[in-house]
PDB file of all heavy atoms in Angstrom:
ATOM      1  N   ALA K  26       4.810  -4.537  -5.680  1.00 70.00           N
ATOM      2  CA  ALA K  26       4.090  -3.920  -4.565  1.00 70.00           C
ATOM      3  C   ALA K  26       4.139  -2.412  -4.673  1.00 70.00           C
ATOM      4  O   ALA K  26       3.162  -1.712  -4.430  1.00 70.00           O
ATOM      5  CB  ALA K  26       4.702  -4.373  -3.247  1.00 70.00           C
ATOM      6  N   ASN K  27       5.309  -1.880  -5.071  1.00 81.00           N
ATOM      7  CA  ASN K  27       5.444  -0.435  -5.230  1.00 81.00           C
ATOM      8  C   ASN K  27       4.554   0.071  -6.379  1.00 81.00           C
ATOM      9  O   ASN K  27       3.935   1.118  -6.267  1.00 81.00           O
ATOM     10  CB  ASN K  27       6.930  -0.080  -5.487  1.00 81.00           C
ATOM     11  CG  ASN K  27       7.178   1.412  -5.364  1.00 81.00           C
ATOM     12  OD1 ASN K  27       6.511   2.096  -4.617  1.00 81.00           O
ATOM     13  ND2 ASN K  27       8.133   1.886  -6.090  1.00 81.00           N
ATOM     14  N   GLY K  29       1.788  -1.317  -7.385  1.00 87.00           N
ATOM     15  CA  GLY K  29       0.408  -1.383  -6.892  1.00 87.00           C
ATOM     16  C   GLY K  29       0.101  -0.223  -5.958  1.00 87.00           C
ATOM     17  O   GLY K  29      -0.996   0.352  -5.996  1.00 87.00           O
ATOM     18  N   LEU K  30       1.080   0.151  -5.120  1.00 90.00           N
ATOM     19  CA  LEU K  30       0.886   1.257  -4.209  1.00 90.00           C
ATOM     20  C   LEU K  30       0.772   2.575  -4.982  1.00 90.00           C
ATOM     21  O   LEU K  30      -0.067   3.415  -4.685  1.00 90.00           O
ATOM     22  CB  LEU K  30       2.057   1.321  -3.211  1.00 90.00           C
ATOM     23  CG  LEU K  30       1.909   2.331  -2.074  1.00 90.00           C
ATOM     24  CD1 LEU K  30       0.786   1.918  -1.155  1.00 90.00           C
ATOM     25  CD2 LEU K  30       3.211   2.417  -1.313  1.00 90.00           C
ATOM     26  N   GLN K  31       1.606   2.737  -5.985  1.00 92.00           N
ATOM     27  CA  GLN K  31       1.542   3.944  -6.834  1.00 92.00           C
ATOM     28  C   GLN K  31       0.216   4.014  -7.602  1.00 92.00           C
ATOM     29  O   GLN K  31      -0.345   5.085  -7.723  1.00 92.00           O
ATOM     30  CB  GLN K  31       2.727   3.960  -7.815  1.00 92.00           C
ATOM     31  CG  GLN K  31       4.048   4.261  -7.137  1.00 92.00           C
ATOM     32  CD  GLN K  31       5.219   4.205  -8.097  1.00 92.00           C
ATOM     33  OE1 GLN K  31       5.065   3.757  -9.225  1.00 92.00           O
ATOM     34  NE2 GLN K  31       6.344   4.667  -7.652  1.00 92.00           N
ATOM     35  N   ASP K  32      -0.244   2.887  -8.062  1.00 93.00           N
ATOM     36  CA  ASP K  32      -1.555   2.860  -8.764  1.00 93.00           C
ATOM     37  C   ASP K  32      -2.683   3.286  -7.835  1.00 93.00           C
ATOM     38  O   ASP K  32      -3.536   4.100  -8.186  1.00 93.00           O
ATOM     39  CB  ASP K  32      -1.804   1.468  -9.333  1.00 93.00           C
ATOM     40  CG  ASP K  32      -3.130   1.399 -10.074  1.00 93.00           C
ATOM     41  OD1 ASP K  32      -3.312   2.195 -11.019  1.00 93.00           O
ATOM     42  OD2 ASP K  32      -3.971   0.552  -9.704  1.00 93.00           O
ATOM     43  N   LEU K  33      -2.674   2.731  -6.603  1.00 93.00           N
ATOM     44  CA  LEU K  33      -3.676   3.091  -5.641  1.00 93.00           C
ATOM     45  C   LEU K  33      -3.584   4.576  -5.282  1.00 93.00           C
ATOM     46  O   LEU K  33      -4.600   5.294  -5.227  1.00 93.00           O
ATOM     47  CB  LEU K  33      -3.558   2.247  -4.378  1.00 93.00           C
ATOM     48  CG  LEU K  33      -4.535   2.544  -3.243  1.00 93.00           C
ATOM     49  CD1 LEU K  33      -5.977   2.390  -3.677  1.00 93.00           C
ATOM     50  CD2 LEU K  33      -4.222   1.686  -2.036  1.00 93.00           C
ATOM     51  N   ALA K  34      -2.375   5.056  -5.076  1.00 93.00           N
ATOM     52  CA  ALA K  34      -2.179   6.483  -4.736  1.00 93.00           C
ATOM     53  C   ALA K  34      -2.669   7.377  -5.871  1.00 93.00           C
ATOM     54  O   ALA K  34      -3.289   8.423  -5.628  1.00 93.00           O
ATOM     55  CB  ALA K  34      -0.699   6.755  -4.462  1.00 93.00           C
ATOM     56  N   SER K  35      -2.416   6.957  -7.128  1.00 93.00           N
ATOM     57  CA  SER K  35      -2.873   7.793  -8.243  1.00 93.00           C
ATOM     58  C   SER K  35      -4.394   7.801  -8.336  1.00 93.00           C
ATOM     59  O   SER K  35      -5.006   8.828  -8.643  1.00 93.00           O
ATOM     60  CB  SER K  35      -2.251   7.340  -9.569  1.00 93.00           C
ATOM     61  OG  SER K  35      -2.737   6.078  -9.952  1.00 93.00           O
ATOM     62  N   ILE K  37      -6.436   7.493  -5.770  1.00 93.00           N
ATOM     63  CA  ILE K  37      -6.879   8.344  -4.663  1.00 93.00           C
ATOM     64  C   ILE K  37      -6.670   9.819  -5.049  1.00 93.00           C
ATOM     65  O   ILE K  37      -7.563  10.657  -4.805  1.00 93.00           O
ATOM     66  CB  ILE K  37      -6.093   8.006  -3.378  1.00 93.00           C
ATOM     67  CG1 ILE K  37      -6.500   6.625  -2.862  1.00 93.00           C
ATOM     68  CG2 ILE K  37      -6.336   9.066  -2.292  1.00 93.00           C
ATOM     69  CD1 ILE K  37      -5.634   6.098  -1.735  1.00 93.00           C
ATOM     70  N   ALA K  63      -1.208  15.250  -3.510  1.00 93.00           N
ATOM     71  CA  ALA K  63      -0.368  14.110  -3.935  1.00 93.00           C
ATOM     72  C   ALA K  63       0.285  13.452  -2.722  1.00 93.00           C
ATOM     73  O   ALA K  63       0.264  12.215  -2.598  1.00 93.00           O
ATOM     74  CB  ALA K  63       0.703  14.583  -4.902  1.00 93.00           C
ATOM     75  N   LYS K  64       0.823  14.251  -1.791  1.00 94.00           N
ATOM     76  CA  LYS K  64       1.405  13.693  -0.572  1.00 94.00           C
ATOM     77  C   LYS K  64       0.359  12.938   0.233  1.00 94.00           C
ATOM     78  O   LYS K  64       0.599  11.837   0.736  1.00 94.00           O
ATOM     79  CB  LYS K  64       2.022  14.800   0.286  1.00 94.00           C
ATOM     80  CG  LYS K  64       3.265  15.431  -0.296  1.00 94.00           C
ATOM     81  CD  LYS K  64       3.730  16.543   0.611  1.00 94.00           C
ATOM     82  CE  LYS K  64       4.830  17.354  -0.040  1.00 94.00           C
ATOM     83  NZ  LYS K  64       5.208  18.514   0.814  1.00 94.00           N
ATOM     84  N   LEU K  65      -0.815  13.534   0.370  1.00 94.00           N
ATOM     85  CA  LEU K  65      -1.902  12.893   1.109  1.00 94.00           C
ATOM     86  C   LEU K  65      -2.296  11.587   0.447  1.00 94.00           C
ATOM     87  O   LEU K  65      -2.569  10.586   1.141  1.00 94.00           O
ATOM     88  CB  LEU K  65      -3.086  13.836   1.210  1.00 94.00           C
ATOM     89  CG  LEU K  65      -4.329  13.322   1.918  1.00 94.00           C
ATOM     90  CD1 LEU K  65      -4.017  12.942   3.373  1.00 94.00           C
ATOM     91  CD2 LEU K  65      -5.442  14.317   1.860  1.00 94.00           C
ATOM     92  N   SER K  66      -2.355  11.567  -0.874  1.00 95.00           N
ATOM     93  CA  SER K  66      -2.729  10.364  -1.606  1.00 95.00           C
ATOM     94  C   SER K  66      -1.751   9.239  -1.317  1.00 95.00           C
ATOM     95  O   SER K  66      -2.170   8.077  -1.107  1.00 95.00           O
ATOM     96  CB  SER K  66      -2.756  10.634  -3.102  1.00 95.00           C
ATOM     97  OG  SER K  66      -3.701  11.613  -3.397  1.00 95.00           O
ATOM     98  N   LEU K  67      -0.461   9.529  -1.317  1.00 94.00           N
ATOM     99  CA  LEU K  67       0.549   8.519  -1.011  1.00 94.00           C
ATOM    100  C   LEU K  67       0.426   8.011   0.411  1.00 94.00           C
ATOM    101  O   LEU K  67       0.501   6.791   0.671  1.00 94.00           O
ATOM    102  CB  LEU K  67       1.963   9.068  -1.259  1.00 94.00           C
ATOM    103  CG  LEU K  67       2.328   9.255  -2.726  1.00 94.00           C
ATOM    104  CD1 LEU K  67       3.603  10.088  -2.847  1.00 94.00           C
ATOM    105  CD2 LEU K  67       2.528   7.925  -3.396  1.00 94.00           C
ATOM    106  N   GLN K  68       0.193   8.917   1.352  1.00 96.00           N
ATOM    107  CA  GLN K  68       0.028   8.499   2.750  1.00 96.00           C
ATOM    108  C   GLN K  68      -1.211   7.624   2.923  1.00 96.00           C
ATOM    109  O   GLN K  68      -1.184   6.628   3.639  1.00 96.00           O
ATOM    110  CB  GLN K  68      -0.074   9.724   3.654  1.00 96.00           C
ATOM    111  CG  GLN K  68       1.216  10.503   3.762  1.00 96.00           C
ATOM    112  CD  GLN K  68       1.035  11.844   4.470  1.00 96.00           C
ATOM    113  OE1 GLN K  68      -0.088  12.315   4.682  1.00 96.00           O
ATOM    114  NE2 GLN K  68       2.128  12.457   4.831  1.00 96.00           N
ATOM    115  N   LEU K  69      -2.296   8.018   2.281  1.00 95.00           N
ATOM    116  CA  LEU K  69      -3.532   7.235   2.387  1.00 95.00           C
ATOM    117  C   LEU K  69      -3.373   5.858   1.764  1.00 95.00           C
ATOM    118  O   LEU K  69      -3.850   4.863   2.310  1.00 95.00           O
ATOM    119  CB  LEU K  69      -4.698   7.978   1.722  1.00 95.00           C
ATOM    120  CG  LEU K  69      -5.201   9.228   2.434  1.00 95.00           C
ATOM    121  CD1 LEU K  69      -6.208   9.974   1.570  1.00 95.00           C
ATOM    122  CD2 LEU K  69      -5.817   8.850   3.764  1.00 95.00           C
ATOM    123  N   ALA K  70      -2.646   5.778   0.629  1.00 95.00           N
ATOM    124  CA  ALA K  70      -2.423   4.485  -0.034  1.00 95.00           C
ATOM    125  C   ALA K  70      -1.591   3.578   0.844  1.00 95.00           C
ATOM    126  O   ALA K  70      -1.896   2.389   0.996  1.00 95.00           O
ATOM    127  CB  ALA K  70      -1.756   4.698  -1.379  1.00 95.00           C
ATOM    128  N   GLU K  71      -0.528   4.106   1.480  1.00 95.00           N
ATOM    129  CA  GLU K  71       0.305   3.312   2.364  1.00 95.00           C
ATOM    130  C   GLU K  71      -0.492   2.831   3.578  1.00 95.00           C
ATOM    131  O   GLU K  71      -0.413   1.652   3.954  1.00 95.00           O
ATOM    132  CB  GLU K  71       1.517   4.141   2.843  1.00 95.00           C
ATOM    133  CG  GLU K  71       2.536   4.365   1.761  1.00 95.00           C
ATOM    134  CD  GLU K  71       3.643   5.340   2.211  1.00 95.00           C
ATOM    135  OE1 GLU K  71       3.653   5.784   3.359  1.00 95.00           O
ATOM    136  OE2 GLU K  71       4.509   5.635   1.363  1.00 95.00           O
ATOM    137  N   THR K  72      -1.280   3.705   4.149  1.00 95.00           N
ATOM    138  CA  THR K  72      -2.113   3.336   5.312  1.00 95.00           C
ATOM    139  C   THR K  72      -3.135   2.267   4.923  1.00 95.00           C
ATOM    140  O   THR K  72      -3.339   1.302   5.666  1.00 95.00           O
ATOM    141  CB  THR K  72      -2.827   4.581   5.877  1.00 95.00           C
ATOM    142  OG1 THR K  72      -1.829   5.535   6.235  1.00 95.00           O
ATOM    143  CG2 THR K  72      -3.670   4.213   7.081  1.00 95.00           C
ATOM    144  N   PHE K  73      -3.733   2.431   3.752  1.00 94.00           N
ATOM    145  CA  PHE K  73      -4.705   1.449   3.286  1.00 94.00           C
ATOM    146  C   PHE K  73      -4.055   0.080   3.094  1.00 94.00           C
ATOM    147  O   PHE K  73      -4.608  -0.942   3.520  1.00 94.00           O
ATOM    148  CB  PHE K  73      -5.332   1.908   1.957  1.00 94.00           C
ATOM    149  CG  PHE K  73      -6.350   0.952   1.423  1.00 94.00           C
ATOM    150  CD1 PHE K  73      -7.641   0.943   1.900  1.00 94.00           C
ATOM    151  CD2 PHE K  73      -5.991   0.010   0.450  1.00 94.00           C
ATOM    152  CE1 PHE K  73      -8.584   0.051   1.413  1.00 94.00           C
ATOM    153  CE2 PHE K  73      -6.924  -0.895  -0.039  1.00 94.00           C
ATOM    154  CZ  PHE K  73      -8.242  -0.873   0.448  1.00 94.00           C
ATOM    155  N   ARG K  74      -2.882   0.027   2.459  1.00 93.00           N
ATOM    156  CA  ARG K  74      -2.189  -1.266   2.238  1.00 93.00           C
ATOM    157  C   ARG K  74      -1.809  -1.911   3.561  1.00 93.00           C
ATOM    158  O   ARG K  74      -1.924  -3.138   3.694  1.00 93.00           O
ATOM    159  CB  ARG K  74      -0.951  -1.070   1.355  1.00 93.00           C
ATOM    160  CG  ARG K  74      -1.253  -0.766  -0.058  1.00 93.00           C
ATOM    161  CD  ARG K  74      -1.929  -1.928  -0.751  1.00 93.00           C
ATOM    162  NE  ARG K  74      -2.094  -1.613  -2.160  1.00 93.00           N
ATOM    163  CZ  ARG K  74      -3.108  -1.983  -2.888  1.00 93.00           C
ATOM    164  NH1 ARG K  74      -4.074  -2.690  -2.357  1.00 93.00           N
ATOM    165  NH2 ARG K  74      -3.202  -1.643  -4.143  1.00 93.00           N
ATOM    166  N   LYS K  75      -1.364  -1.131   4.550  1.00 94.00           N
ATOM    167  CA  LYS K  75      -1.019  -1.707   5.849  1.00 94.00           C
ATOM    168  C   LYS K  75      -2.250  -2.295   6.510  1.00 94.00           C
ATOM    169  O   LYS K  75      -2.216  -3.408   7.064  1.00 94.00           O
ATOM    170  CB  LYS K  75      -0.405  -0.623   6.758  1.00 94.00           C
ATOM    171  CG  LYS K  75       1.003  -0.254   6.376  1.00 94.00           C
ATOM    172  CD  LYS K  75       1.537   0.848   7.272  1.00 94.00           C
ATOM    173  CE  LYS K  75       2.899   1.312   6.798  1.00 94.00           C
ATOM    174  NZ  LYS K  75       3.361   2.471   7.557  1.00 94.00           N
ATOM    175  N   ALA K  76      -3.363  -1.571   6.481  1.00 94.00           N
ATOM    176  CA  ALA K  76      -4.611  -2.064   7.066  1.00 94.00           C
ATOM    177  C   ALA K  76      -5.116  -3.289   6.323  1.00 94.00           C
ATOM    178  O   ALA K  76      -5.598  -4.263   6.930  1.00 94.00           O
ATOM    179  CB  ALA K  76      -5.672  -0.986   7.058  1.00 94.00           C
ATOM    180  N   GLU K  77      -4.992  -3.272   4.981  1.00 92.00           N
ATOM    181  CA  GLU K  77      -5.405  -4.413   4.167  1.00 92.00           C
ATOM    182  C   GLU K  77      -4.571  -5.655   4.494  1.00 92.00           C
ATOM    183  O   GLU K  77      -5.120  -6.765   4.647  1.00 92.00           O
ATOM    184  CB  GLU K  77      -5.248  -4.056   2.699  1.00 92.00           C
ATOM    185  CG  GLU K  77      -5.709  -5.116   1.720  1.00 92.00           C
ATOM    186  CD  GLU K  77      -5.508  -4.658   0.284  1.00 92.00           C
ATOM    187  OE1 GLU K  77      -4.404  -4.195  -0.061  1.00 92.00           O
ATOM    188  OE2 GLU K  77      -6.486  -4.760  -0.478  1.00 92.00           O
ATOM    189  N   LYS K  78      -3.263  -5.477   4.668  1.00 91.00           N
ATOM    190  CA  LYS K  78      -2.368  -6.584   5.002  1.00 91.00           C
ATOM    191  C   LYS K  78      -2.696  -7.153   6.380  1.00 91.00           C
ATOM    192  O   LYS K  78      -2.740  -8.358   6.564  1.00 91.00           O
ATOM    193  CB  LYS K  78      -0.918  -6.098   4.957  1.00 91.00           C
ATOM    194  CG  LYS K  78       0.091  -7.179   5.102  1.00 91.00           C
ATOM    195  CD  LYS K  78       1.515  -6.626   4.928  1.00 91.00           C
ATOM    196  CE  LYS K  78       2.546  -7.724   5.081  1.00 91.00           C
ATOM    197  NZ  LYS K  78       3.906  -7.211   4.916  1.00 91.00           N
ATOM    198  N   ALA K  79      -2.968  -6.261   7.350  1.00 91.00           N
ATOM    199  CA  ALA K  79      -3.325  -6.716   8.700  1.00 91.00           C
ATOM    200  C   ALA K  79      -4.629  -7.460   8.677  1.00 91.00           C
ATOM    201  O   ALA K  79      -4.773  -8.510   9.365  1.00 91.00           O
ATOM    202  CB  ALA K  79      -3.401  -5.524   9.632  1.00 91.00           C
TER     203      ALA K  79
END
Side-chain angles (χ1 to χ4, degrees):
N27 193 29
L30 188 66
Q31 288 177 348
D32 181 57
L33 178 59
S35 68
I37 291 170
K64 289 177 190 176
L65 178 61
S66 299
L67 288 167
Q68 291 170 346
L69 289 172
E71 288 173 3
T72 302
F73 180 82
R74 289 294 185 216
K75 286 178 186 175
E77 183 180 49
K78 188 175 180 180

